[in-house]
Amino acid sequence: MRRLDHESGSVAVAGSRPTLRGLGRFLATDRDWTGMALAGIALITFWRIVALYFNRTELWVDEAQYWLWGQSFSFGAYSKPPLIGWLIGAMTGLFGNSTFAVRLAAPLIHGLAACTVLALTARVASPRAAALAGVGYATMPAVTLGSMLISTDTPQMLALALALLVQHRLARAPGVSGAILLGLAVGLGLLAKQAMAFAVLGMGLAGWISADWRIARRDLILAAAVTLALVAPNLWWIATHGFVTFHHLAESGSSQGFGLHISGTLRFWAEQFAVMGPVAFAAFLLSLRNPPQEVQGPLAVAVVILGIVTLQALGSHALANWAVSFTVAGNIVAAVWLADRPRLAAISIGFGLLVALLLPLLAIFGTGWRGPGGSLLLSRYMGHAEISARAIDYAHQHDTAVITAHDRGLLADLRWQARGTRLRIEAAPHTGGPRHHWDLAFPFNPKEPGLVAVLLRGEPPACATTSESWTAGPGFAEGRKFTLAMASAACLMDASHE
């Protein structure tokens, strides 16, 4: 049964949930949208920080690796630019080496990004749309998950939001200070993640199709010079380390071979409904049909990012988060469409709030929960500490100061768990170029005296003096065989050539 809602002018289904109907009516009225949205973002951010303090998951591979990067100031790392390490180094320097401190920057940065998205949307659309964009970003499933861990996407998304805000202001009011700020924002984005380059192309397209986003040539040149100055040390680091970062990116992008991957592309697109939220992403897609003038700039940015990663998915493969930065501009587009449809806006925000509330609770109370297949729901973030603790105890029992392994994931967690001890964690010797950061920065010393501990999956080298094997317990490697062995440097070097 259908009826007309006289207050909002929209058609509603009788018997719909009272909460959503009331939220829809609330969104249809004139209020202090900016103040309420900022208060909502602050409350969501506070909740995430509190939940993060009680979070019981372990650092996963990338987080532990980023923590290591943050222990020393460097202009580069094997696979990513250095900003993520600097952020974690700052947080752990202030609050100590804990999983809470390692991840603390994430909810804070996403909260700032949500405020920036709100401010940008307020410049191009109504206060209601701005509030929806800011809260929509803050409650987006990808942002909820991204606030529970630390990743390179997080600072890049803030940098993109700031860059878009400055670009729009600079198009209206040219000036040196604005150009410098734009260069700084873009440069920080590139220092966060190389995929910021996709956003830069989108920003260029936005300026080409809309005068509201077009900046003067003088300002563009100055902004580009500032960006280049900011990223130059990282480019120099890459050049002086054999261009390993570029090699890694090429290998990662072609890891599944080149071809026509239709099913993978469809899966990638389906995953975007989970990344952005089903209603918000649907609203974004529906906006493509006849976008209003005010969102053509953000739409160009979002489409370029999403389009490039879609081509990656079609030609080889792409993970769901590879295009997540499109949601910075995509939320603006979706919010403008939803602002005139308060019922759908209520459903979108309500879904996001539910995820924002429940997902952190899962990381507190649900670390032992299992899915229908029997595996832990949070297996990716569990079980690392048990394996590392066993290896550390083994090294102490055999009086060695070195633990070595081939696997990046094992090395990353070993280094995290061994913090504060005298143990050195080194990459096992191998033939060929660097496979990961440990091969590059912490290679095995072939002149190592005495025996060293070796942690590996499967069987020990034949020349090992002693070994023990076990089956991993609950977590990322549940049921898999691991081995610890003692071996000499000569043994390991010989084994690397077999």
Side-chain angles (χ1 to χ4, degrees), residues 33 41 80 109 115 214 221 223 288-289 330 339 350 418 434 465 471 473 484:
W33 294 111
I41 292 168
K80 298 289 193 302
I109 289 174
C115 294
R214 192 175 305 140
I221 293 172
L288 297 175
R289 182 178 179 182
T465 61
T471 300
L484 282 163

Side-chain angles (χ1 to χ4, degrees), residues 126-282:
S126 67
R128 183 186 304 167
L132 285 173
V135 176
Y137 176 94
T139 58
M140 198 167 60
V143 168
T144 293
L145 179 60
S147 297
M148 296 166 57
L149 48 87
I150 190 72
S151 77
T152 54
D153 293 317
T154 299
Q156 189 222 337
M157 292 168 78
L158 173 58
L160 175 53
L162 290 170
L164 290 173
L165 177 61
V166 176
Q167 180 184 5
H168 192 265
R169 293 182 62 182
L170 195 58
R172 302 285 184 90
V176 172
S177 59
I180 293 174
L181 288 174
L182 180 60
L184 290 174
V186 173
L188 287 173
L190 290 169
L191 288 176
K193 192 173 184 178
Q194 295 92 348
M196 181 68 181
F198 303 161
V200 173
L201 293 176
M203 292 167 66
L205 179 61
W208 184 65
I209 65 175
S210 174
D212 290 338
W213 296 84
R214 192 175 305 140
I215 61 178
R217 181 176 300 178
R218 183 198 65 180
D219 292 339
L220 180 62
I221 293 172
L222 178 56
V226 173
T227 295
L228 182 59
L230 206 58
V231 302
N234 176 240
L235 296 175
W236 176 254
W237 186 96
I238 292 172
T240 56
H241 287 77
F243 295 96
V244 291
T245 305
F246 295 155
H247 293 314
H248 166 76
L249 292 174
E251 291 172 0
S252 178
S254 61
S255 61
Q256 296 187 13
F258 291 105
L260 195 61
H261 299 269
I262 302 296
S263 61
T265 304
L266 293 175
R267 182 178 64 252
F268 167 77
W269 271 79
E271 289 169 340
Q272 302 314 303
F273 284 93
V275 167
M276 190 172 179
V279 177
F281 188 58

